[in-house]
Amino acid sequence: MNFALKKEMSPYLEQPRAMPVGTAGKMGYLYLGFELDGEGRSILRDLERHAPLIVQQELYFDEAMPQMPCVYILSSGGPNVDGDRYEQHFVVRENAYAHISTGAATKLAKMRYNFSALEQHITLEEGAYLEYLPEPTIPCCHTRFIADTTIRIAPSATLFYAEIYTSGRTHYNGGERFEYDILSVCTHAERPDGEALFREKFVIRPDTCSPTTLGKMGGYDIFANVIVLTPEEHAERIYSLTSPFIDRERRLAAGITRLPHRCGLIYKVLGCDTGQVKRLLRRFCSTVRTEVKGKPLPEEFPWR
């Protein structure tokens, strides 16, 4: 995808002076393909990676689903910097299942000339199941970041995809709160035959329209967006088990609604503490997994 053609990124097209776009080590690529082996266990059959993105091997530590591969995406390049371009492809084949996360938060460094971009393609075949829960994204002062995710999912498959965006490095140098230049995030989904399901896009420019106003983020620092694509019967039961709330004491709020075309749900969380937000997302993911797979999500590792 040529992100330079996106209108919102047009002010940020100057080539970085140190390492231009396309330089080795700035074009991360990752392909993960999961399928069932002859014994019915889900395995990471295909793996292709280009630095700085790193995946070593799948792990089987989930006690509730011991045959589910758990994969952590790492980066050898530190934070995302000017001109970085990352591309990720996740394919879960018929009746296979997987859990994907990242080894640490994605940090977006200060950018003076260009921007950082992430392109994702997620494909789920019939009966497939994928949990994708990356760690939070942290934009610092003058970050420019754009992400585009395309999902192609069969009607009987289930995807749990969670994103967490913080307001910045709130404990650094007196605190950076919404001091980035632009954050552009787009997610769209379709069926294997090309039928469009939904498209959601938000573009945040704090210097022109502050996210701290009433009706946007208000006094919250963290925004989490969860997309659950699943058959309608699962979606309706998950919806009935999930209550929206505003907890002013804990400074935490959540809401849920149905996606178009009866394809699933979207769940949004606002908070001020990353740990609280992550725990709430895992609780919601456990509700989804219990409904679809009959197994709860285990407790997160204490050091995560």
Side-chain angles (χ1 to χ4, degrees), residues 212-237:
T212 62
T213 57
L214 187 65
K216 296 187 175 76
M217 293 282 289
Y220 296 100
D221 289 329
I222 301 166
F223 168 64
N225 199 46
V226 182
I227 293 166
V228 179
L229 301 179
T230 192
E232 185 181 8
E233 60 271 21
H234 293 320
E236 288 304 310
R237 283 193 285 268

PDB file of all heavy atoms in Angstrom, residues 212-237:
ATOM      1  N   THR A 212      -9.099  15.747  24.136  1.00  0.00           N
ATOM      2  CA  THR A 212      -9.500  15.882  25.540  1.00  0.00           C
ATOM      3  C   THR A 212     -10.855  16.560  25.702  1.00  0.00           C
ATOM      4  O   THR A 212     -11.324  16.736  26.826  1.00  0.00           O
ATOM      5  CB  THR A 212      -8.448  16.701  26.315  1.00  0.00           C
ATOM      6  OG1 THR A 212      -8.363  18.018  25.755  1.00  0.00           O
ATOM      7  CG2 THR A 212      -7.086  16.035  26.238  1.00  0.00           C
ATOM      8  N   THR A 213     -11.507  16.937  24.600  1.00  0.00           N
ATOM      9  CA  THR A 213     -12.800  17.612  24.704  1.00  0.00           C
ATOM     10  C   THR A 213     -13.900  16.618  25.054  1.00  0.00           C
ATOM     11  O   THR A 213     -13.777  15.406  24.827  1.00  0.00           O
ATOM     12  CB  THR A 213     -13.156  18.321  23.386  1.00  0.00           C
ATOM     13  OG1 THR A 213     -13.143  17.353  22.326  1.00  0.00           O
ATOM     14  CG2 THR A 213     -12.153  19.412  23.072  1.00  0.00           C
ATOM     15  N   LEU A 214     -14.987  17.148  25.598  1.00  0.00           N
ATOM     16  CA  LEU A 214     -16.141  16.323  25.960  1.00  0.00           C
ATOM     17  C   LEU A 214     -16.724  15.693  24.700  1.00  0.00           C
ATOM     18  O   LEU A 214     -16.870  16.343  23.674  1.00  0.00           O
ATOM     19  CB  LEU A 214     -17.201  17.192  26.644  1.00  0.00           C
ATOM     20  CG  LEU A 214     -18.413  16.461  27.233  1.00  0.00           C
ATOM     21  CD1 LEU A 214     -17.977  15.555  28.378  1.00  0.00           C
ATOM     22  CD2 LEU A 214     -19.443  17.481  27.725  1.00  0.00           C
ATOM     23  N   GLY A 215     -17.038  14.403  24.790  1.00  0.00           N
ATOM     24  CA  GLY A 215     -17.553  13.685  23.636  1.00  0.00           C
ATOM     25  C   GLY A 215     -16.483  12.935  22.881  1.00  0.00           C
ATOM     26  O   GLY A 215     -16.795  12.119  22.006  1.00  0.00           O
ATOM     27  N   LYS A 216     -15.215  13.216  23.218  1.00  0.00           N
ATOM     28  CA  LYS A 216     -14.110  12.454  22.628  1.00  0.00           C
ATOM     29  C   LYS A 216     -13.461  11.661  23.766  1.00  0.00           C
ATOM     30  O   LYS A 216     -14.089  10.825  24.380  1.00  0.00           O
ATOM     31  CB  LYS A 216     -13.129  13.384  21.914  1.00  0.00           C
ATOM     32  CG  LYS A 216     -13.738  14.104  20.709  1.00  0.00           C
ATOM     33  CD  LYS A 216     -12.683  14.873  19.952  1.00  0.00           C
ATOM     34  CE  LYS A 216     -13.249  15.491  18.690  1.00  0.00           C
ATOM     35  NZ  LYS A 216     -14.064  16.685  18.969  1.00  0.00           N
ATOM     36  N   MET A 217     -12.195  11.962  24.080  1.00  0.00           N
ATOM     37  CA  MET A 217     -11.531  11.254  25.163  1.00  0.00           C
ATOM     38  C   MET A 217     -11.836  11.865  26.531  1.00  0.00           C
ATOM     39  O   MET A 217     -11.723  11.201  27.558  1.00  0.00           O
ATOM     40  CB  MET A 217     -10.017  11.254  24.937  1.00  0.00           C
ATOM     41  CG  MET A 217      -9.574  10.442  23.734  1.00  0.00           C
ATOM     42  SD  MET A 217      -9.549   8.680  24.038  1.00  0.00           S
ATOM     43  CE  MET A 217      -8.150   8.538  25.136  1.00  0.00           C
ATOM     44  N   GLY A 218     -12.190  13.155  26.539  1.00  0.00           N
ATOM     45  CA  GLY A 218     -12.453  13.808  27.817  1.00  0.00           C
ATOM     46  C   GLY A 218     -11.222  13.767  28.700  1.00  0.00           C
ATOM     47  O   GLY A 218     -10.127  14.137  28.292  1.00  0.00           O
ATOM     48  N   GLY A 219     -11.380  13.302  29.926  1.00  0.00           N
ATOM     49  CA  GLY A 219     -10.266  13.237  30.865  1.00  0.00           C
ATOM     50  C   GLY A 219      -9.510  11.928  30.844  1.00  0.00           C
ATOM     51  O   GLY A 219      -8.657  11.697  31.697  1.00  0.00           O
ATOM     52  N   TYR A 220      -9.811  11.046  29.864  1.00  0.00           N
ATOM     53  CA  TYR A 220      -9.145   9.745  29.804  1.00  0.00           C
ATOM     54  C   TYR A 220      -7.852   9.830  28.986  1.00  0.00           C
ATOM     55  O   TYR A 220      -7.716  10.674  28.093  1.00  0.00           O
ATOM     56  CB  TYR A 220     -10.072   8.703  29.183  1.00  0.00           C
ATOM     57  CG  TYR A 220     -11.317   8.423  30.002  1.00  0.00           C
ATOM     58  CD1 TYR A 220     -12.542   9.005  29.661  1.00  0.00           C
ATOM     59  CD2 TYR A 220     -11.274   7.592  31.107  1.00  0.00           C
ATOM     60  CE1 TYR A 220     -13.689   8.751  30.400  1.00  0.00           C
ATOM     61  CE2 TYR A 220     -12.413   7.328  31.854  1.00  0.00           C
ATOM     62  CZ  TYR A 220     -13.617   7.911  31.498  1.00  0.00           C
ATOM     63  OH  TYR A 220     -14.747   7.668  32.238  1.00  0.00           O
ATOM     64  N   ASP A 221      -6.919   8.931  29.266  1.00  0.00           N
ATOM     65  CA  ASP A 221      -5.625   8.908  28.586  1.00  0.00           C
ATOM     66  C   ASP A 221      -5.452   7.736  27.628  1.00  0.00           C
ATOM     67  O   ASP A 221      -4.548   7.764  26.790  1.00  0.00           O
ATOM     68  CB  ASP A 221      -4.491   8.841  29.627  1.00  0.00           C
ATOM     69  CG  ASP A 221      -4.322  10.131  30.390  1.00  0.00           C
ATOM     70  OD1 ASP A 221      -4.592  11.204  29.817  1.00  0.00           O
ATOM     71  OD2 ASP A 221      -3.934  10.072  31.574  1.00  0.00           O
ATOM     72  N   ILE A 222      -6.268   6.700  27.762  1.00  0.00           N
ATOM     73  CA  ILE A 222      -6.063   5.459  27.005  1.00  0.00           C
ATOM     74  C   ILE A 222      -7.352   5.084  26.277  1.00  0.00           C
ATOM     75  O   ILE A 222      -8.444   5.168  26.855  1.00  0.00           O
ATOM     76  CB  ILE A 222      -5.632   4.313  27.945  1.00  0.00           C
ATOM     77  CG1 ILE A 222      -4.336   4.681  28.669  1.00  0.00           C
ATOM     78  CG2 ILE A 222      -5.460   3.009  27.177  1.00  0.00           C
ATOM     79  CD1 ILE A 222      -4.024   3.785  29.850  1.00  0.00           C
ATOM     80  N   PHE A 223      -7.198   4.687  25.022  1.00  0.00           N
ATOM     81  CA  PHE A 223      -8.340   4.267  24.207  1.00  0.00           C
ATOM     82  C   PHE A 223      -8.064   2.861  23.678  1.00  0.00           C
ATOM     83  O   PHE A 223      -7.026   2.604  23.069  1.00  0.00           O
ATOM     84  CB  PHE A 223      -8.551   5.226  23.045  1.00  0.00           C
ATOM     85  CG  PHE A 223      -9.502   4.729  21.991  1.00  0.00           C
ATOM     86  CD1 PHE A 223     -10.833   4.513  22.295  1.00  0.00           C
ATOM     87  CD2 PHE A 223      -9.069   4.477  20.694  1.00  0.00           C
ATOM     88  CE1 PHE A 223     -11.716   4.057  21.340  1.00  0.00           C
ATOM     89  CE2 PHE A 223      -9.942   4.023  19.727  1.00  0.00           C
ATOM     90  CZ  PHE A 223     -11.274   3.812  20.043  1.00  0.00           C
ATOM     91  N   ALA A 224      -8.994   1.945  23.923  1.00  0.00           N
ATOM     92  CA  ALA A 224      -8.877   0.579  23.409  1.00  0.00           C
ATOM     93  C   ALA A 224     -10.046   0.283  22.482  1.00  0.00           C
ATOM     94  O   ALA A 224     -11.191   0.645  22.781  1.00  0.00           O
ATOM     95  CB  ALA A 224      -8.842  -0.426  24.558  1.00  0.00           C
ATOM     96  N   ASN A 225      -9.734  -0.354  21.380  1.00  0.00           N
ATOM     97  CA  ASN A 225     -10.736  -0.679  20.367  1.00  0.00           C
ATOM     98  C   ASN A 225     -10.673  -2.177  20.093  1.00  0.00           C
ATOM     99  O   ASN A 225      -9.615  -2.690  19.715  1.00  0.00           O
ATOM    100  CB  ASN A 225     -10.449   0.111  19.086  1.00  0.00           C
ATOM    101  CG  ASN A 225     -11.652   0.205  18.173  1.00  0.00           C
ATOM    102  OD1 ASN A 225     -12.756   0.498  18.623  1.00  0.00           O
ATOM    103  ND2 ASN A 225     -11.441  -0.041  16.892  1.00  0.00           N
ATOM    104  N   VAL A 226     -11.778  -2.879  20.299  1.00  0.00           N
ATOM    105  CA  VAL A 226     -11.815  -4.326  20.122  1.00  0.00           C
ATOM    106  C   VAL A 226     -12.838  -4.683  19.059  1.00  0.00           C
ATOM    107  O   VAL A 226     -13.996  -4.266  19.127  1.00  0.00           O
ATOM    108  CB  VAL A 226     -12.170  -5.059  21.435  1.00  0.00           C
ATOM    109  CG1 VAL A 226     -12.138  -6.563  21.225  1.00  0.00           C
ATOM    110  CG2 VAL A 226     -11.229  -4.647  22.546  1.00  0.00           C
ATOM    111  N   ILE A 227     -12.410  -5.467  18.075  1.00  0.00           N
ATOM    112  CA  ILE A 227     -13.297  -5.956  17.023  1.00  0.00           C
ATOM    113  C   ILE A 227     -13.463  -7.461  17.198  1.00  0.00           C
ATOM    114  O   ILE A 227     -12.475  -8.202  17.276  1.00  0.00           O
ATOM    115  CB  ILE A 227     -12.720  -5.632  15.632  1.00  0.00           C
ATOM    116  CG1 ILE A 227     -12.724  -4.113  15.404  1.00  0.00           C
ATOM    117  CG2 ILE A 227     -13.495  -6.346  14.531  1.00  0.00           C
ATOM    118  CD1 ILE A 227     -11.895  -3.669  14.239  1.00  0.00           C
ATOM    119  N   VAL A 228     -14.700  -7.888  17.298  1.00  0.00           N
ATOM    120  CA  VAL A 228     -15.017  -9.311  17.388  1.00  0.00           C
ATOM    121  C   VAL A 228     -15.876  -9.683  16.185  1.00  0.00           C
ATOM    122  O   VAL A 228     -17.022  -9.258  16.059  1.00  0.00           O
ATOM    123  CB  VAL A 228     -15.770  -9.645  18.688  1.00  0.00           C
ATOM    124  CG1 VAL A 228     -16.110 -11.142  18.731  1.00  0.00           C
ATOM    125  CG2 VAL A 228     -14.943  -9.270  19.906  1.00  0.00           C
ATOM    126  N   LEU A 229     -15.301 -10.463  15.286  1.00  0.00           N
ATOM    127  CA  LEU A 229     -16.043 -10.973  14.132  1.00  0.00           C
ATOM    128  C   LEU A 229     -16.332 -12.447  14.383  1.00  0.00           C
ATOM    129  O   LEU A 229     -15.401 -13.243  14.569  1.00  0.00           O
ATOM    130  CB  LEU A 229     -15.239 -10.780  12.847  1.00  0.00           C
ATOM    131  CG  LEU A 229     -14.864  -9.329  12.511  1.00  0.00           C
ATOM    132  CD1 LEU A 229     -14.052  -9.267  11.224  1.00  0.00           C
ATOM    133  CD2 LEU A 229     -16.107  -8.462  12.403  1.00  0.00           C
ATOM    134  N   THR A 230     -17.596 -12.797  14.394  1.00  0.00           N
ATOM    135  CA  THR A 230     -17.999 -14.148  14.782  1.00  0.00           C
ATOM    136  C   THR A 230     -19.412 -14.402  14.263  1.00  0.00           C
ATOM    137  O   THR A 230     -20.143 -13.444  13.955  1.00  0.00           O
ATOM    138  CB  THR A 230     -17.931 -14.303  16.320  1.00  0.00           C
ATOM    139  OG1 THR A 230     -18.043 -15.674  16.683  1.00  0.00           O
ATOM    140  CG2 THR A 230     -19.009 -13.491  17.020  1.00  0.00           C
ATOM    141  N   PRO A 231     -19.850 -15.651  14.130  1.00  0.00           N
ATOM    142  CA  PRO A 231     -21.228 -15.912  13.707  1.00  0.00           C
ATOM    143  C   PRO A 231     -22.244 -15.230  14.606  1.00  0.00           C
ATOM    144  O   PRO A 231     -22.006 -15.001  15.796  1.00  0.00           O
ATOM    145  CB  PRO A 231     -21.330 -17.441  13.797  1.00  0.00           C
ATOM    146  CG  PRO A 231     -19.927 -17.922  13.556  1.00  0.00           C
ATOM    147  CD  PRO A 231     -19.054 -16.894  14.218  1.00  0.00           C
ATOM    148  N   GLU A 232     -23.395 -14.891  14.040  1.00  0.00           N
ATOM    149  CA  GLU A 232     -24.382 -14.076  14.740  1.00  0.00           C
ATOM    150  C   GLU A 232     -24.829 -14.682  16.058  1.00  0.00           C
ATOM    151  O   GLU A 232     -25.014 -13.959  17.047  1.00  0.00           O
ATOM    152  CB  GLU A 232     -25.601 -13.848  13.836  1.00  0.00           C
ATOM    153  CG  GLU A 232     -26.626 -12.915  14.451  1.00  0.00           C
ATOM    154  CD  GLU A 232     -27.840 -12.703  13.568  1.00  0.00           C
ATOM    155  OE1 GLU A 232     -27.961 -13.408  12.538  1.00  0.00           O
ATOM    156  OE2 GLU A 232     -28.682 -11.847  13.903  1.00  0.00           O
ATOM    157  N   GLU A 233     -24.998 -16.001  16.125  1.00  0.00           N
ATOM    158  CA  GLU A 233     -25.485 -16.605  17.367  1.00  0.00           C
ATOM    159  C   GLU A 233     -24.488 -16.399  18.507  1.00  0.00           C
ATOM    160  O   GLU A 233     -24.861 -16.161  19.657  1.00  0.00           O
ATOM    161  CB  GLU A 233     -25.781 -18.095  17.173  1.00  0.00           C
ATOM    162  CG  GLU A 233     -24.608 -18.955  16.746  1.00  0.00           C
ATOM    163  CD  GLU A 233     -24.445 -19.040  15.235  1.00  0.00           C
ATOM    164  OE1 GLU A 233     -24.962 -18.152  14.526  1.00  0.00           O
ATOM    165  OE2 GLU A 233     -23.800 -19.998  14.770  1.00  0.00           O
ATOM    166  N   HIS A 234     -23.178 -16.468  18.188  1.00  0.00           N
ATOM    167  CA  HIS A 234     -22.170 -16.183  19.211  1.00  0.00           C
ATOM    168  C   HIS A 234     -22.200 -14.706  19.594  1.00  0.00           C
ATOM    169  O   HIS A 234     -22.117 -14.360  20.779  1.00  0.00           O
ATOM    170  CB  HIS A 234     -20.780 -16.547  18.699  1.00  0.00           C
ATOM    171  CG  HIS A 234     -20.550 -18.004  18.487  1.00  0.00           C
ATOM    172  ND1 HIS A 234     -21.027 -18.962  19.348  1.00  0.00           N
ATOM    173  CD2 HIS A 234     -19.879 -18.675  17.517  1.00  0.00           C
ATOM    174  CE1 HIS A 234     -20.664 -20.173  18.918  1.00  0.00           C
ATOM    175  NE2 HIS A 234     -19.973 -20.018  17.811  1.00  0.00           N
ATOM    176  N   ALA A 235     -22.278 -13.847  18.598  1.00  0.00           N
ATOM    177  CA  ALA A 235     -22.246 -12.403  18.852  1.00  0.00           C
ATOM    178  C   ALA A 235     -23.383 -11.972  19.779  1.00  0.00           C
ATOM    179  O   ALA A 235     -23.184 -11.157  20.687  1.00  0.00           O
ATOM    180  CB  ALA A 235     -22.309 -11.642  17.535  1.00  0.00           C
ATOM    181  N   GLU A 236     -24.560 -12.516  19.570  1.00  0.00           N
ATOM    182  CA  GLU A 236     -25.710 -12.111  20.384  1.00  0.00           C
ATOM    183  C   GLU A 236     -25.549 -12.548  21.836  1.00  0.00           C
ATOM    184  O   GLU A 236     -25.900 -11.814  22.762  1.00  0.00           O
ATOM    185  CB  GLU A 236     -27.000 -12.671  19.790  1.00  0.00           C
ATOM    186  CG  GLU A 236     -27.417 -11.976  18.508  1.00  0.00           C
ATOM    187  CD  GLU A 236     -27.565 -10.474  18.698  1.00  0.00           C
ATOM    188  OE1 GLU A 236     -28.245 -10.043  19.652  1.00  0.00           O
ATOM    189  OE2 GLU A 236     -26.968  -9.725  17.905  1.00  0.00           O
ATOM    190  N   ARG A 237     -24.983 -13.736  22.065  1.00  0.00           N
ATOM    191  CA  ARG A 237     -24.782 -14.193  23.436  1.00  0.00           C
ATOM    192  C   ARG A 237     -23.667 -13.382  24.111  1.00  0.00           C
ATOM    193  O   ARG A 237     -23.769 -13.047  25.290  1.00  0.00           O
ATOM    194  CB  ARG A 237     -24.474 -15.691  23.457  1.00  0.00           C
ATOM    195  CG  ARG A 237     -25.723 -16.559  23.246  1.00  0.00           C
ATOM    196  CD  ARG A 237     -25.449 -18.009  23.580  1.00  0.00           C
ATOM    197  NE  ARG A 237     -24.653 -18.660  22.551  1.00  0.00           N
ATOM    198  CZ  ARG A 237     -25.160 -19.320  21.513  1.00  0.00           C
ATOM    199  NH1 ARG A 237     -26.472 -19.404  21.359  1.00  0.00           N
ATOM    200  NH2 ARG A 237     -24.364 -19.894  20.627  1.00  0.00           N
TER     201      ARG A 237
END
